[in-house]
Coordinates of all heavy atoms in Angstrom, one line a residue:
I68 N 95.6 81.4 112.6 CA 96.1 80.5 111.6 C 96.7 81.4 110.5 O 96.1 82.2 109.9 CB 95.0 79.7 110.9 CG1 94.3 78.8 112.0 CG2 95.6 78.7 109.9 CD1 93.2 78.0 111.5
F69 N 98.1 81.2 110.2 CA 98.7 81.9 109.1 C 98.3 81.2 107.8 O 98.4 80.0 107.7 CB 100.2 82.1 109.3 CG 100.5 83.0 110.4 CD1 101.2 82.5 111.5 CD2 100.2 84.3 110.3 CE1 101.6 83.4 112.6 CE2 100.5 85.2 111.4 CZ 101.2 84.8 112.5
T70 N 98.0 82.0 106.7 CA 97.6 81.4 105.5 C 98.4 82.1 104.3 O 99.2 82.9 104.6 CB 96.1 81.7 105.3 OG1 95.9 83.1 105.1 CG2 95.3 81.2 106.4
G71 N 98.0 81.7 103.1 CA 98.6 82.3 102.0 C 97.9 83.6 101.5 O 98.1 83.9 100.3
G72 N 97.1 84.2 102.3 CA 96.5 85.5 101.9 C 95.0 85.6 102.2 O 94.4 84.7 102.8
G73 N 94.4 86.6 101.8 CA 93.0 86.9 102.1 C 92.0 85.9 101.4 O 91.1 85.4 102.1
S74 N 92.3 85.6 100.2 CA 91.4 84.6 99.5 C 91.5 83.2 100.2 O 90.4 82.6 100.4 CB 91.8 84.5 98.0 OG 91.7 85.7 97.4
E75 N 92.7 82.8 100.6 CA 92.7 81.5 101.2 C 92.0 81.6 102.6 O 91.3 80.6 102.9 CB 94.2 81.1 101.4 CG 94.3 79.7 102.0 CD 95.7 79.2 102.4 OE1 96.7 79.7 101.8 OE2 95.7 78.5 103.4
S76 N 92.2 82.7 103.3 CA 91.5 82.8 104.6 C 90.1 82.8 104.5 O 89.3 82.1 105.3 CB 92.0 84.1 105.3 OG 93.4 84.0 105.7
D77 N 89.5 83.5 103.5 CA 88.1 83.5 103.3 C 87.6 82.1 102.9 O 86.6 81.6 103.4 CB 87.7 84.4 102.1 CG 87.7 85.9 102.5 OD1 87.7 86.2 103.7 OD2 87.8 86.8 101.6
N78 N 88.3 81.4 102.1 CA 88.0 80.0 101.7 C 88.0 79.0 102.9 O 87.1 78.2 103.1 CB 88.9 79.5 100.6 CG 88.4 79.8 99.2 OD1 87.7 79.1 98.6 ND2 88.7 81.0 98.8
L79 N 89.0 79.2 103.7 CA 89.2 78.3 104.9 C 88.0 78.6 105.9 O 87.4 77.7 106.5 CB 90.5 78.6 105.5 CG 90.8 77.8 106.8 CD1 90.7 76.3 106.6 CD2 92.2 78.1 107.4
A80 N 87.7 79.9 106.0 CA 86.6 80.3 107.0 C 85.3 79.7 106.5 O 84.6 79.0 107.3 CB 86.5 81.8 107.1
I81 N 85.0 79.9 105.2 CA 83.7 79.5 104.7 C 83.5 78.0 104.6 O 82.7 77.4 105.2 CB 83.4 80.2 103.4 CG1 83.5 81.7 103.4 CG2 82.0 79.8 102.8 CD1 82.5 82.4 104.1
K82 N 84.5 77.4 103.8 CA 84.4 76.0 103.6 C 84.7 75.2 104.9 O 84.0 74.3 105.2 CB 85.3 75.6 102.5 CG 85.0 76.2 101.1 CD 86.1 75.8 100.1 CE 86.0 76.6 98.9 NZ 87.2 76.4 98.0
G83 N 85.8 75.7 105.6 CA 86.2 74.9 106.7 C 85.2 74.9 107.8 O 84.9 73.9 108.5
A84 N 84.6 76.1 108.1 CA 83.6 76.2 109.2 C 82.3 75.5 108.8 O 81.7 74.8 109.6 CB 83.3 77.6 109.6
L86 N 81.7 73.1 106.6 CA 81.8 71.6 106.6 C 81.9 71.0 108.0 O 81.3 70.0 108.3 CB 83.0 71.2 105.8 CG 82.9 71.4 104.3 CD1 84.2 71.3 103.5 CD2 81.8 70.5 103.6
Y113 N 80.5 77.6 95.8 CA 81.2 76.2 95.6 C 80.5 75.2 96.5 O 80.3 74.1 96.1 CB 82.6 76.4 95.9 CG 83.4 75.1 96.1 CD1 84.0 74.5 95.0 CD2 83.6 74.5 97.4 CE1 84.7 73.3 95.1 CE2 84.3 73.4 97.5 CZ 84.9 72.7 96.4 OH 85.6 71.6 96.5
G212 N 100.8 87.5 99.4 CA 100.8 86.0 99.5 C 101.0 85.5 101.0 O 101.3 84.4 101.2
V213 N 100.6 86.3 102.0 CA 100.5 85.9 103.3 C 99.4 86.6 104.0 O 99.2 87.8 103.9 CB 101.9 86.0 104.1 CG1 102.3 87.5 104.2 CG2 101.8 85.4 105.5
G214 N 98.6 85.8 104.8 CA 97.5 86.4 105.5 C 97.2 85.6 106.7 O 98.0 84.8 107.1
L216 N 93.9 83.8 109.4 CA 92.5 83.7 109.8 C 92.4 83.6 111.3 O 93.1 82.7 111.9 CB 91.9 82.4 109.1 CG 90.4 82.2 109.5 CD1 89.5 83.3 108.9 CD2 89.9 80.8 109.0
L224 N 87.2 73.6 112.5 CA 87.4 73.9 111.1 C 87.8 72.6 110.4 O 88.6 71.8 110.9 CB 88.5 74.8 110.9 CG 88.4 76.4 111.0 CD1 89.7 77.0 110.5 CD2 87.2 76.9 110.2
M225 N 87.3 72.3 109.2 CA 87.9 71.3 108.3 C 89.0 71.9 107.6 O 88.8 72.8 106.8 CB 86.8 70.8 107.4 CG 85.7 70.0 108.0 SD 86.2 68.3 108.2 CE 84.9 67.6 107.2
P226 N 90.2 71.4 107.7 CA 91.4 72.0 106.9 C 91.1 71.9 105.4 O 90.4 71.0 105.0 CB 92.5 71.1 107.3 CG 92.1 70.2 108.4 CD 90.6 70.2 108.5
Q227 N 91.5 72.9 104.7 CA 91.3 72.9 103.3 C 92.6 72.6 102.6 O 92.6 72.4 101.3 CB 90.7 74.3 102.8 CG 89.4 74.6 103.4 CD 88.3 73.5 103.1 OE1 88.1 73.2 101.9 NE2 87.8 72.9 104.1
I228 N 93.7 72.6 103.3 CA 95.0 72.1 102.7 C 95.5 71.0 103.7 O 95.7 71.3 104.8 CB 96.1 73.3 102.7 CG1 95.5 74.4 101.7 CG2 97.4 72.7 102.2 CD1 96.5 75.5 101.6
N229 N 95.5 69.8 103.2 CA 95.9 68.7 104.0 C 97.4 68.4 103.8 O 97.9 68.6 102.7 CB 95.0 67.5 103.6 CG 93.6 67.8 103.8 OD1 92.9 68.0 102.8 ND2 93.1 67.9 105.0
G230 N 98.0 67.8 104.8 CA 99.4 67.5 104.7 C 100.0 67.4 106.1 O 99.4 66.6 106.9
G231 N 101.1 68.1 106.4 CA 101.7 68.1 107.7 C 100.8 68.7 108.7 O 99.7 69.2 108.5
G232 N 101.3 68.7 109.9 CA 100.6 69.1 111.1 C 100.7 70.6 111.5 O 100.4 71.0 112.6
Q233 N 101.2 71.4 110.5 CA 101.4 72.9 110.9 C 100.1 73.5 111.3 O 99.0 73.1 110.9 CB 102.1 73.6 109.7 CG 103.5 73.2 109.4 CD 103.6 72.1 108.3 OE1 102.6 71.4 108.0 NE2 104.8 71.8 107.9
E234 N 100.3 74.7 111.9 CA 99.1 75.5 112.3 C 98.1 74.7 113.1 O 96.9 74.8 112.8 CB 98.5 76.3 111.1 CG 99.5 77.2 110.4 CD 100.0 78.3 111.4 OE1 99.3 79.3 111.7 OE2 101.2 78.3 111.7
R235 N 98.5 73.9 114.0 CA 97.6 73.1 114.8 C 96.7 72.2 113.9 O 95.5 72.1 114.2 CB 96.8 73.9 115.8 CG 97.7 74.7 116.7 CD 96.8 75.6 117.6 NE 97.5 75.7 118.9 CZ 97.1 75.1 120.0 NH1 96.0 74.4 120.0 NH2 97.7 75.2 121.1
R236 N 97.3 71.7 112.9 CA 96.6 70.7 112.0 C 95.5 71.4 111.2 O 94.6 70.7 110.7 CB 96.0 69.5 112.7 CG 97.1 68.8 113.6 CD 96.6 67.4 114.0 NE 97.7 66.7 114.6 CZ 98.6 66.0 113.9 NH1 98.5 65.9 112.6 NH2 99.6 65.4 114.5
R237 N 95.5 72.7 111.1 CA 94.4 73.3 110.4 C 94.8 73.9 109.0 O 94.0 74.3 108.3 CB 93.8 74.4 111.3 CG 93.0 73.8 112.5 CD 92.5 74.8 113.4 NE 93.6 75.6 114.0 CZ 93.5 76.6 114.9 NH1 92.3 76.8 115.3 NH2 94.5 77.3 115.3
R238 N 96.2 74.0 108.8 CA 96.6 74.5 107.5 C 98.0 73.9 107.3 O 99.0 74.4 107.9 CB 96.7 76.0 107.6 CG 96.7 76.7 106.2 CD 98.1 76.8 105.6 NE 98.1 77.6 104.4 CZ 99.2 77.8 103.7 NH1 100.3 77.3 104.0 NH2 99.2 78.6 102.6
A239 N 98.1 72.9 106.5 CA 99.4 72.2 106.2 C 100.3 73.0 105.3 O 99.8 73.9 104.6 CB 99.1 70.8 105.6
G240 N 101.6 72.7 105.4 CA 102.6 73.4 104.6 C 103.6 74.1 105.4 O 103.2 74.7 106.4
T241 N 104.8 74.1 104.9 CA 105.9 74.8 105.7 C 105.5 76.3 105.8 O 105.0 76.9 104.8 CB 107.2 74.7 104.9 OG1 107.5 73.3 104.8 CG2 108.3 75.4 105.6
E242 N 105.6 76.8 106.9 CA 105.2 78.2 107.2 C 106.0 79.2 106.3 O 107.2 79.0 106.1 CB 105.4 78.6 108.7 CG 104.6 77.8 109.7 CD 105.2 76.4 110.0 OE1 106.1 76.0 109.3 OE2 104.8 75.8 111.0
N243 N 105.4 80.2 105.8 CA 106.1 81.3 105.1 C 106.7 82.2 106.1 O 106.2 83.2 106.5 CB 105.0 82.0 104.2 CG 105.6 83.2 103.5 OD1 106.8 83.5 103.6 ND2 104.7 83.9 102.7

Side-chain angles (χ1 to χ4, degrees):
I68 301 178
F69 290 117
T70 68
S74 300
E75 188 191 324
S76 295
D77 283 343
N78 274 265
L79 178 57
I81 305 287
K82 297 175 190 169
L86 289 166
Y113 168 87
V213 60
L216 182 67
L224 279 189
M225 289 274 241
Q227 299 302 302
I228 298 179
N229 304 103
Q233 291 91 349
E234 299 300 289
R235 300 177 147 254
R236 304 193 172 278
R237 293 173 300 182
R238 200 275 190 184
T241 301
E242 297 84 345
N243 175 357

